[in-house]
Amino acid sequence: MMPSATYLFALANLAVCAAIVGISICRLNAMWGARWMVRAEYAGYIGAAFASGLSPMYGRWPWWDSIAVAAAILLGLLASGRAWAGDRTPAVATDLAPLEHQ
């Protein structure tokens, strides 16, 4: 017997949200000297991904919209992966950005 589409959407959403949580925890762990706004951003990703991934436990079943937003966040995290290579916080996350072009 095949599970209904609702359960498949919940499983896909949980998988995407678990990836977001994993990446965000790794980046928070690597943030020594990062600005508080950057740390808050990743803490927010963790909280939102937990809430979205576990939403069926409190009666909110995900659909295309939930998965699309979670996938967009995951895509952004994956795209910025090169800046975080070697578990080092990028300079942009630790210093104020310069106002002039270099």
Side-chain angles (χ1 to χ4, degrees):
M1 180 162 70
M2 185 165 192
S4 71
T6 303
Y7 294 123
L8 292 176
F9 275 100
L11 185 62
N13 189 53
L14 180 62
V16 172
C17 289
I20 292 170
V21 169
I23 291 170
S24 297
I25 287 173
C26 288
R27 290 190 183 175
L28 271 175
N29 187 42
M31 282 190 200
W32 298 105
R35 298 173 59 202
W36 71 269
M37 291 180 292
V38 178
R39 292 191 307 264
E41 174 187 2
Y42 284 95
Y45 288 159
I46 292 170
F50 261 114
S52 180
L54 300 178
S55 63
M57 294 181 73
Y58 51 88
R60 303 282 305 178
W61 293 91
W63 202 241
W64 287 111
D65 54 347
S66 299
I67 295 174
V69 170
I73 292 170
L74 180 60
L75 182 63
L77 289 172
L78 291 173
S80 65
R82 188 171 187 179
W84 290 86
D87 284 339
R88 296 177 65 212
T89 307
V92 173
T94 57
D95 298 326
L96 293 176
L99 296 177
E100 69 277 348
H101 295 342
Q102 295 179 354

